[in-house]
């Protein structure tokens, strides 16, 4: 399952994973872009779901729809995210909150929705792509860095909860 398949990173991941022969499900906010990515990657439209990552109900409904088509979600790749790069004097509270909602709360909703299935199977892999600003700060990236540092910390904590299972969590720091 690739969440955020309509973005630059997500769409490339979708093509690569599909080319490997995996059964791939895609989510994205923009249905037109989602259809284009699926077509380019050779993924049937029936495995594509428009999803609002900031809405827990939307995430839960999407995961349930995926599980109607497949009994297991072996791998979750979280490629969702927005990047607001503004200095503190220009950054609005709404932009800061939106960034946290998409980049941090969205990941929380995804993992919370997928984890029960992985626990049932006693295995799974969760991959997040926080980017390099998830571990190296940059001027003007307070909102983005806060969300991605939070994502990394949350995943490290969940990894500790799962360390005696075959469910793995990893972060890929692109950039």
């Amino acid at each position: 399952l690739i969440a955020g398949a309509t973005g630059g990173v997500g769409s490339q991941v979708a093509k690569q994973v599909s080319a490997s022969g995996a059964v791939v499900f895609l989510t994205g906010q923009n249905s037109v872009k989602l259809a284009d990515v699926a077509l380019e990657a050779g993924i049937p439209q029936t495995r594509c779901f428009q999803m609002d990552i900031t809405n827990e109900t939307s995430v839960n409904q999407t995961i349930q729809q995926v599980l109607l088509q497949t009994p297991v979600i072996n791998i979750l790749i979280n490629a969702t995210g927005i990047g607001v790069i503004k200095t503190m004097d220009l950054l609005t509270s709404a932009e800061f909150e939106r960034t946290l909602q998409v980049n941090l709360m969205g990941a929380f909703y995804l993992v919370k929705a997928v984890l029960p299935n992985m626990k049932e199977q006693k295995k799974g892999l969760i991959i997040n792509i926080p980017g390099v600003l998830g571990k190296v700060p940059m001027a003007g990236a307070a909102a983005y860095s806060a969300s991605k540092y939070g994502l990394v910390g949350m995943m490290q904590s969940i990894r500790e909860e799962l360390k005696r299972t075959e469910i793995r969590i990893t972060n890929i720091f692109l950039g």
Side-chain angles (χ1 to χ4, degrees), residues 136-156:
V136 178
M138 179 181 94
Y144 188 77
S145 291
S147 69
K148 295 303 183 167
Y149 271 79
L151 172 65
V152 170
M154 179 174 69
M155 289 302 134
Q156 287 172 338

Side-chain angles (χ1 to χ4, degrees), residues 1-22 24-26 37 41 43 75-80 127-129 172 174:
L1 172 62
I2 301 171
T6 56
V9 172
S11 64
Q12 291 303 312
V13 170
K15 292 173 194 171
Q16 294 293 319
V17 174
S18 180
S20 77
V24 179
F25 293 84
L26 304 177
V37 170
I43 297 168
I75 301 170
L76 167 64
I77 301 174
N78 176 16
T80 63
I127 301 171
N128 291 286
I129 307 173
I172 299 175
L174 302 177

Side-chain angles (χ1 to χ4, degrees), residues 14-105:
K15 292 173 194 171
Q16 294 293 319
V17 174
S18 180
S20 77
V23 175
V24 179
F25 293 84
L26 304 177
T27 75
Q29 192 167 359
N30 183 313
S31 61
V32 174
K33 284 184 182 178
L34 193 58
D36 290 345
V37 170
L39 184 64
E40 290 175 23
I43 297 168
Q45 294 297 316
T46 56
R47 288 196 245 135
C48 298
F49 303 93
Q50 186 175 12
M51 181 179 79
D52 178 359
I53 192 70
T54 67
N55 182 299
E56 187 172 15
T57 300
S58 176
V59 172
N60 289 336
Q61 288 173 346
T62 300
I63 299 308
Q64 290 309 309
Q65 289 175 322
V66 169
L67 291 172
L68 288 174
Q69 293 188 44
T70 183
V72 298
I73 297 173
N74 294 308
I75 301 170
L76 167 64
I77 301 174
N78 176 16
T80 63
I82 60 170
V84 176
I85 306 299
K86 289 185 176 180
T87 58
M88 279 300 290
D89 55 333
L90 298 176
L91 182 66
T92 68
S93 297
E95 289 168 328
F96 188 85
E97 289 172 9
R98 174 83 177 142
T99 303
L100 290 176
Q101 189 65 32
V102 171
N103 296 353
L104 182 57
M105 292 303 300

